[in-house]
Amino acid sequence: MSEHQQLMTNMGQRARTAFAVLSGVASAQKARALTAAAAQLHAHQSEILAANIQDMDNGRANGLNDAMLDRLMINEERLDAIASAVEEVAALPDPVGAVIDRNERPNGLIMERVRVPLGVIGIIYESRPNVTADAAALGLRSGNAVILRGGSEAIESNRAIHKAMVAGLVEEGLPEDAIQLVQTTDRAAVGAMLKASGLIDIIIPRGGKSLVARVQEEARVPVLAHLDGICHTYIGKAADQDKAIAIAVNAKMRRTGVCGAMETLLIDQDYPAPGPLLRALLDEGCEIRGDDAIMELDPRTVSADAQDWDTEYLAPIVSARMIGGVDEALAHIADHGSHHTDVVVTEDEAVANQFIQHADSAIVMWNASSQFADGGEFGLGAEIGISTGRLHARGPVALEGLTTYKWVVRGTGQIRP
């Protein structure tokens, strides 16, 4: 057994022991532990910010781009938001034990589906140190033990956040092994996680295409995939002009490095005011890579190539195309989208309903910015990611997405004839 396999075996065994303890812990105790963890994040503020400065300095030295540095950065405001997200998860209803449905059979048997935790969850992610706190909080509240493996660029921040979170758990009598962080940055540790069948029940990757592709190719345990966010906004011919501008600018420029940022703008060829829409984006500092019809509208636009329609920029860049109606918009999204979040802007309800029905995306929006693609904005609290697959969970994965169910059958002595 290799060094990293031994490491993961030890972590997995400790996680399973912690999970067995969590299965008997009351909801109120889990909530108190998370409230204590949030308080410890505040108490460890100087330590966490100092660790993040070290990561940021290393990131700049290693040539991280601005989008990656924005994902990595923690300041006092962001740390307050991280702690608040943990508090919000603590306040959410505990899904464990909830009865999904109940059916009484003609023979008197009562059949119930009851929510239970997934077990031990391995979470592999890049760049964003807030995921360390979010994943830990969601895992604990839903009764799971978690093994976290963050990106090497955020290792010091992750260590500091993990230390604070564990202090809160221990303060309330929960096992510290309920939240574990892989301390090594060696990529071989990821491979060991992916092959830890029998110890880890599910792997959740949160990162770029290369990370997700590796996880899906190598994993020997189930995977809940979070793919890239090639998000589209389609401006229909009946779109309100003020709404169209506000939504498009917000969807692209509010935060360009998030997975819900608009990457492609589709404008109906019969929309009456495409020029002001493009100017609003350009004036905000957005580069527009367009087709010939787009380039004729503003000399500041540049030509898009075939690759642009399939690119998640995570930067102030958008691809733009004039489109011949909602059917053509849906066809473009089907060919180039990533099933993440797609938006229609229109005052025509029939067009909106057609878009909603046929856009094969985890999240479909009407007259709203794609930047709302976030578990907190959905009222779910912190999220583990946006699942773009079809199985188990889809869209923002929060507490319910980290549970499965078992059947509970209650009888009064029935036997099968």
Side-chain angles (χ1 to χ4, degrees):
M1 184 180 291
S2 73
E3 172 190 352
H4 293 98
Q5 288 174 324
Q6 185 62 58
L7 169 68
M8 203 50 56
T9 296
N10 291 339
M11 293 182 74
Q13 289 172 344
R14 297 201 310 272
R16 299 215 74 82
T17 300
F19 171 58
V21 174
L22 290 177
S23 64
V25 170
S27 176
Q29 187 177 359
K30 291 186 290 184
R32 288 196 302 270
L34 289 178
T35 301
Q40 289 291 341
L41 288 170
H42 288 299
H44 287 74
Q45 174 179 291
S46 59
E47 183 180 340
I48 293 169
L49 295 182
N52 186 251
I53 288 171
Q54 186 176 346
D55 285 331
M56 292 289 288
D57 289 343
N58 291 338
R60 293 187 188 96
N62 292 327
L64 290 185
N65 61 36
D66 289 343
M68 292 289 285
L69 289 171
D70 177 63
R71 289 183 169 204
L72 177 59
M73 189 266 288
I74 302 175
N75 54 23
E76 289 187 19
E77 182 181 359
R78 288 191 180 183
L79 184 57
D80 286 343
I82 290 171
S84 294
V86 173
E87 292 173 334
E88 289 170 6
V89 172
L92 289 172
D94 189 344
V96 176
V99 177
I100 300 171
D101 52 44
R102 181 181 186 277
N103 178 36
E104 184 170 351
R105 303 294 297 154
N107 62 5
L109 287 176
I110 296 174
M111 312 282 191
E112 293 179 338
R113 285 193 300 150
V114 180
R115 290 199 180 278
V116 295
L118 291 172
V120 176
I121 303 175
I123 301 160
I124 303 170
Y125 53 102
E126 298 172 331
S127 305
R128 297 180 188 224
N130 67 291
V131 176
T132 301
D134 289 351
L138 288 165
L140 186 74
R141 191 70 177 119
S142 54
N144 298 286
V146 295
I147 297 175
L148 307 170
R149 203 289 185 178
S152 58
E153 65 279 4
I155 185 62
E156 300 302 333
S157 303
N158 290 337
R159 285 170 175 164
I161 290 172
H162 173 254
K163 179 181 177 181
M165 295 286 292
V166 168
L169 266 61
V170 172
E171 181 181 321
E172 291 297 327
L174 296 188
E176 62 180 305
D177 288 334
I179 301 171
Q180 296 183 66
L181 177 72
V182 178
Q183 298 286 336
T184 178
T185 59
D186 194 320
R187 288 172 58 87
V190 173
M193 282 185 74
L194 299 179
K195 294 176 174 61
S197 179
L199 295 171
I200 296 175
D201 294 293
I202 190 168
I203 293 284
I204 302 177
R206 181 167 177 171
K209 276 186 176 180
S210 60
L211 169 66
V212 176
R214 180 189 178 190
V215 169
Q216 291 181 318
E217 181 178 347
E218 298 182 21
R220 298 295 179 266
V221 297
V223 175
L224 184 63
H226 171 113
L227 298 181
D228 50 348
I230 303 178
C231 302
H232 299 77
T233 299
Y234 166 55
I235 308 297
K237 65 180 181 181
D240 176 275
Q241 295 179 27
D242 291 337
K243 287 180 187 177
I245 290 173
I247 289 170
V249 170
N250 183 267
K252 177 74 259 186
M253 301 301 291
R254 173 188 166 271
R255 284 188 68 185
T256 60
V258 298
C259 62
M262 175 181 71
E263 304 294 11
T264 298
L265 175 66
L266 304 174
I267 305 176
D268 195 288
Q269 62 188 12
D270 294 324
Y271 174 67
L277 177 59
L278 298 178
R279 284 198 296 275
L281 284 163
L282 291 161
D283 290 347
E284 288 290 326
C286 180
E287 177 184 329
I288 297 178
R289 300 179 183 179
D291 62 5
D292 290 343
I294 292 291
M295 292 180 65
E296 289 177 2
L297 293 169
D298 196 299
R300 293 175 290 174
T301 59
V302 298
S303 179
D305 60 30
Q307 215 171 14
D308 281 304
W309 311 116
D310 301 305
T311 298
E312 183 183 26
Y313 299 109
L314 301 175
I317 305 169
V318 70
S319 56
R321 178 184 173 189
M322 297 297 285
I323 213 83
V326 64
D327 287 328
E328 191 173 327
L330 288 164
H332 178 100
I333 292 169
D335 288 341
H336 302 284
S338 59
H339 310 288
H340 191 292
T341 301
D342 294 298
V343 176
V344 56
V345 182
T346 183
E347 298 303 303
D348 186 329
E349 187 173 356
V351 168
N353 287 334
Q354 181 181 352
F355 188 93
I356 290 167
Q357 181 178 356
H358 294 286
D360 182 19
S361 310
I363 304 170
V364 183
M365 299 185 180
W366 175 17
N367 286 347
S369 167
S370 60
Q371 296 258 344
F372 283 108
D374 174 86
E377 295 297 329
F378 277 52
L380 302 175
E383 68 176 31
I384 207 71
I386 307 289
S387 172
T388 53
R390 292 182 175 276
L391 297 180
H392 177 63
R394 202 174 195 208
V397 179
L399 288 179
E400 285 193 1
L402 298 182
T403 63
T404 182
Y405 61 84
K406 64 182 177 184
W407 285 95
V408 176
V409 181
R410 304 181 191 277
T412 57
Q414 289 91 334
I415 60 172
R416 186 170 179 179

